Amino acid sequence: MNLLIFGPPGAGKGTQSALIAKQFNIKHISTGDLFRENIKKGTPLGVEAQGYMNRGALVPDDVTVKMLEGALAANDKQGFILDGFPRTIDQAKVLGAMLTNRKVKLDCVLVLTVETKMIVERLSGRRVCQKCGEVFHITARPPSKPGICDKCGSDQLIQRPDDKAEVITKRLDTFWAQTAPVKKFYEEMDLVREIDGTGSESQVFMKIQDALRETQ
Ligand code: AP5
């Protein structure tokens, strides 16, 4: 199964992708996570991406597309859920060509909808383990021991630099200006299943599973 998850920053794409990947034994490919890994390792790609990410802008297509192509090549045998790509119509067209070349079909585009006030609450309360990348939220998903990662035991739970209030506003502007039109692109291909992203993680996951059952 090959899926794409789409929605504004903080809609819950990463959270739901992890659940979907586990349930259906497919790979979670997140361009945001791939950039963050490169930043952590200090690669040239990470150095280039960091400035764009920290100001809420999109990383240029040449860099992003090459990185995505590598990740797809490594994972398209098992099936995947793509999170964070495409973010522009141009990226959507490039993805279409890549998948056609690889003889891979996209089964469904899950579109998560969440209102802006809730997005801001989710992003401003998100904490991420700097060591293993596990995601928490100060109220919705707090760690069992305050300040300690449940997964790896690290005490480095930090706020993402792009989750600061001023950058959240920029990211939302970028989403509405450049990324939102991608939804229509996939609606025209009759691939979109819209999911109300409000409610608990497990409630949203149930809605996603219902939608996927209907597409099979
Ligand atoms: P990326 O990492 O993809 O960021 P994003 O799309 O803005 O999405 P987020 O990771 O912020 O949110 P999410 O929807 O995954 O929410 P999450 O599940 O974590 O990209 C970062 C940057 O990289 C971009 O700004 C850009 O610069 C660059 N980039 C990436 N891809 C690119 C591309 N294709 N082209 C160019 N540039 C690119 O949830 C958020 C919080 O809410 C968490 O704390 C979570 O615990 C909590 N939460 C989740 N679900 C629920 C729920 N149901 N109830 C309560 N809390 C919840």
Side-chain angles (χ1 to χ4, degrees):
M1 183 162 54
N2 303 310
L3 306 174
L4 203 154
I5 194 161
F6 182 85
K13 302 182 296 295
T15 302
Q16 294 301 326
S17 294
L19 296 170
I20 293 165
K22 193 170 173 205
Q23 173 87 358
F24 297 100
N25 190 30
I26 56 177
K27 288 281 179 183
H28 175 198
I29 302 174
S30 153
T31 42
D33 286 349
L34 290 171
F35 282 131
R36 281 183 287 276
E37 274 167 34
N38 276 281
I39 290 170
K40 203 170 153 190
K41 289 180 188 154
T43 68
L45 191 151
V47 172
E48 182 169 359
Q50 190 162 29
Y52 294 98
M53 291 171 79
N54 286 357
R55 56 175 191 274
L58 297 184
V59 180
D61 278 359
D62 53 338
V63 183
T64 310
V65 166
K66 211 185 288 169
M67 180 180 77
L68 193 262
E69 203 162 21
L72 266 184
N75 293 302
D76 68 4
K77 297 279 176 290
Q78 187 181 343
F80 56 80
I81 176 154
L82 202 47
D83 161 14
F85 191 100
R87 271 175 138 93
T88 60
I89 296 286
D90 281 348
Q91 289 186 3
K93 289 179 182 165
V94 169
L95 176 65
M98 267 186 220
L99 295 179
T100 304
N101 279 343
R102 309 190 70 81
K103 299 187 173 46
V104 171
K105 192 176 128 284
L106 207 50
D107 296 300
C108 178
V109 175
L110 297 163
V111 174
L112 289 181
T113 56
V114 177
E115 63 176 39
T116 304
K117 186 170 172 276
M118 188 174 283
I119 286 173
V120 173
E121 278 168 20
R122 287 187 183 178
L123 292 179
S124 52
R126 175 165 54 188
R127 298 293 179 269
V128 181
C129 174
Q130 211 169 11
K131 201 164 167 211
C132 73
E134 188 72 357
V135 175
F136 297 90
H137 187 276
I138 50 173
T139 53
R141 186 191 246 269
S144 332
K145 279 193 213 153
I148 304 292
C149 175
D150 289 336
K151 193 171 168 194
C152 76
S154 155
D155 62 357
Q156 295 170 54
L157 301 189
I158 58 145
Q159 185 173 45
R160 264 171 50 174
D162 58 347
D163 280 346
K164 302 220 163 67
E166 62 281 12
V167 191
I168 292 176
T169 308
K170 288 268 173 50
R171 288 164 65 198
L172 286 168
D173 290 347
T174 302
F175 175 81
W176 289 111
Q178 293 179 260
T179 306
V182 172
K183 181 183 164 199
K184 190 158 186 285
F185 180 91
Y186 287 113
E187 273 170 348
E188 284 165 5
M189 295 166 76
D190 199 22
L191 283 172
V192 168
R193 295 293 173 274
E194 208 152 327
I195 310 286
D196 172 9
T198 55
S200 68
E201 285 178 19
S202 53
Q203 284 169 334
V204 178
F205 186 46
M206 280 200 297
K207 293 179 218 175
I208 289 177
Q209 290 180 94
D210 287 345
L212 290 177
R213 245 176 256 123
E214 281 168 23
T215 63
Q216 280 164 3

